[in-house]
Amino acid sequence: HVQLVESGGGSVQTGESLTLTCSVSETTDPIGNLAWFRQAVGKEREGIAAIDSAGFQMYAESVKGRFTISGDIARSALTTAVLQMGSLTPDDTAIYYCAARTYWGLARTNLLRGTSYPDWGQGTQVTVS
């Protein structure tokens, strides 16, 4: 069982920055992967950034160069994932979700797939105007 708490959403202007934080508030097993997804109105959920407990990061093309994911790692387990978002545009408007997967061994080709993550946060709204 994993509980995730997201924070940092809000409303900003085009070109501004915003930072989202995902904290693992409860888990019975070590977290090997954390990722951020987003879903805009009328669009499919999109995996945008992921990090594993070795510190490896992966990004969707839509955010590469603008977003950075980082994590706190203790004893080969992730406890926090921070998503720093820059150069925001209205296309970044969405609900942002944090997702977690316990243990290790997830193939890097699957890091941005929603089906790789059994545990999800409640989501936080990001609005760019």
Side-chain angles (χ1 to χ4, degrees):
H1 172 69
V2 178
Q3 243 181 357
L4 304 171
V5 177
E6 300 132 330
S7 60
S11 297
V12 296
Q13 300 292 315
T14 297
E16 292 185 343
S17 300
L18 202 60
T19 298
L20 304 181
T21 300
C22 173
S23 300
V24 180
S25 65
E26 185 180 316
T27 182
T28 54
D29 300 302
I31 304 298
N33 298 89
L34 286 172
W36 284 97
F37 291 76
R38 67 185 182 186
Q39 187 162 22
V41 174
K43 293 188 177 180
E44 292 188 358
R45 182 179 61 191
E46 174 189 21
I48 57 172
I51 187 167
D52 68 17
S53 58
F56 178 80
Q57 302 153 21
M58 180 171 281
Y59 299 93
E61 286 299 320
S62 58
V63 305
K64 199 173 287 184
R66 300 188 301 123
F67 291 11
T68 301
I69 188 170
S70 59
D72 290 328
I73 301 170
R75 293 187 294 277
S76 298
L78 284 156
T79 58
T80 304
V82 175
L83 185 68
Q84 294 176 291
M85 305 185 293
S87 302
L88 288 164
T89 75
D91 286 343
D92 296 312
T93 295
I95 300 176
Y96 285 67
Y97 297 92
C98 179
R101 179 185 175 94
T102 57
Y103 292 104
W104 306 276
L106 180 62
R108 289 177 174 174
T109 53
N110 293 328
L111 284 175
L112 295 180
R113 293 183 179 178
T115 52
S116 298
Y117 299 89
D119 298 290
W120 293 77
Q122 299 278 6
T124 185
Q125 177 71 46
V126 172
T127 303
V128 186
S129 58

